Every structure is written in structure tokens, then in C-alpha cells.
Amino acid sequence: AQTVTQSQPEMSVQEAETVTLSCTYDTSENNYYLFWYKQPPSRQMILVIRQEAYKQQNATENRFSVNFQKAAKSFSLKISDSQLGDTAMYFCAFVIQGAQKLVFGQGTRLTINP
Amino acid sequence: DAGVTQSPTHLIKTRGQHVTLRCSPISGHKSVSWYQQVLGQGPQFIFQYYEKEERGRGNFPDRFSARQFPNYSSELNVNALLLGDSALYLCASSLGIYSGGEQYFGPGTRLTVT
């Protein structure tokens, strides 16, 4: 079975702090892609960051970075210098290479407080 | 360029009725996928269509069907609506059949079944 587990239903931090969201996944495949999506109250699902499983180097996009541990099947998201606009639901997801179906976790509700 | 668009934004239906949801992909994108997001959960894959053919199907009953038109827009149809069909329905488009997960989501249609 292909599953994604996000163990933190809710998190809350102060503006400018650093926050890390956890994600573990399960698949028997070796080639896949991992993602973090952000879904603000507007409902639009926005891609935050993408990681190819064959790459050892962790992906980085401005204030967002990941810690990818393939052997542990762990894929956490770190948000540095958090901003009020980062308040949203965050979903971890993966897709098998050669497939289109994204498998999502249950999400983590992140609140950035002023 | 316009992103993925979906219509209607909101919809209220009664149990047993039929509903049609519409999606227009990003210009040049030939693949459309549909996801169901029940409140408090991550999206679940329903269908993928590419070049007007069904290329993937999730674990949904036959009451759910879809099609893709020559202009690559898509419709999702749900028959004999149940209360449990109440959800946010997301459409995602991508350039090719397998895009390494580079799927772009629309704002969704909120369906409420009473």
C-alpha cells in the first residue's frame, strides 16, 4: 500500500520563527517524486517544493527547504523566517515515476501568529 | 496565462440527484486529473484523462464518471448522490501523461449534498 502520514494535525508558531513539518511515507517503489503543497483558506492547492527521490541533495526554495531521508522514508519541510502568509494547510504527497496519481497525507494546519 | 479554472464554485444538491463539474486546464496541458477532498482530509485521486482517454482510476464507485473533450477540458459526473459525496472536488492539469508530479490545481468546486 502507498500511504503518507503527517503526524502533526496542527502547529502554531510566532512570526519570524522557524517551523518543521513532519511527513513519512510508504512505498515499495524506488523511483518517485515527493511534494509539499500549501492550501490556504482560498482552497487553491499550491506547490511549495518538489524532490526527486533519486537526488540525495535536499531541495530548497527560498525560505522553504526539505530534509529527505530515503532509507527512513521521511520527508520533512522546514519553513524559515515564517510569515503571516504562510498560514495554511500543508500537505505532503508523492507520485510514483510513470504514474500520475498523487498520494496525499492528512495535512498539517499551520498558523503563524503575529 | 490563465490557470486551471473550475465551475461552478459552489453547488448544493439533494441526495439521489446527479451533478456535473467542469474543468478547463492550463493552455497547452493535455492531461486532467480529478481529486476528491473531504473536509479535514487530504485529496483522493478519482480519475486521470489524457488525450480524451481514461488513463487512471482511483477507488471510487461507478457512480463517478468523467470525460475529456477535444479542447482538453473535462467534466466529472456523479450520479445518485450520497451525503458522503459532499466534498471539495479539485481538478489538476499537467503537460503530459506523466509529468513527474508537476500538476497544477484549480480552486475547486465545493459540493454539498443535503
Side-chain angles (χ1 to χ4, degrees), chain A residues 80-98:
Chain A
S80 303
D81 185 27
S82 57
Q83 300 175 359
L84 298 178
D86 295 333
T87 293
M89 283 291 290
Y90 285 80
F91 292 96
C92 178
F94 76 91
V95 66
I96 302 302
Q97 187 175 18

Side-chain angles (χ1 to χ4, degrees), chain B residues 11-87:
Chain B
L11 203 52
I12 300 175
K13 290 286 189 178
T14 304
R15 275 178 299 175
Q17 285 188 320
H18 163 271
V19 69
T20 297
L21 311 180
R22 296 176 176 82
C23 170
S24 291
I26 291 171
S27 177
H29 284 194
K30 297 182 178 181
S31 173
V32 170
S33 296
W34 288 94
Y35 292 82
Q36 180 196 64
Q37 186 179 15
V38 173
L39 192 63
Q41 297 184 18
Q44 298 286 321
F45 174 78
I46 310 175
F47 285 113
Q48 182 205 2
Y49 274 77
Y50 177 76
E51 291 285 13
K52 304 186 291 294
E53 291 187 7
E54 182 182 306
R55 298 298 185 130
R57 186 184 184 110
N59 189 24
F60 280 82
D62 292 343
R63 299 185 296 107
F64 288 76
S65 64
R67 56 178 176 168
Q68 187 177 33
F69 299 99
N71 66 353
Y72 303 109
S73 66
S74 177
E75 283 182 354
L76 176 69
N77 295 285
V78 187
N79 292 323
L81 285 167
L82 304 174
L83 295 179
D85 295 331
S86 294

Side-chain angles (χ1 to χ4, degrees), chain A residues 42-53:
Chain A
S42 66
R43 309 181 323 203
Q44 187 95 34
M45 195 74 77
I46 301 165
L47 178 63
V48 173
I49 199 163
R50 175 178 179 264
Q51 172 83 42
E52 293 94 337

Side-chain angles (χ1 to χ4, degrees), chain A residues 33 35 37 39 42-47 50 89 91 95 98-107, chain B residues 9-10 31 33 35 37 42-43 45 48 88 94 97-103 105-108 110:
Chain A
Y33 302 87
F35 309 88
Y37 281 91
Q39 188 177 42
S42 66
R43 309 181 323 203
Q44 187 95 34
M45 195 74 77
I46 301 165
L47 178 63
R50 175 178 179 264
M89 283 291 290
F91 292 96
V95 66
Q100 191 73 342
K101 169 187 171 182
L102 278 163
V103 179
F104 286 87
Q106 298 283 75
Chain B
T9 304
H10 296 93
S31 173
S33 296
Y35 292 82
Q37 186 179 15
F45 174 78
Q48 182 205 2
L88 179 68
S94 60
I97 182 172
Y98 302 131
S99 53
E102 292 277 3
Q103 298 183 44
F105 284 84
R110 171 73 67 190

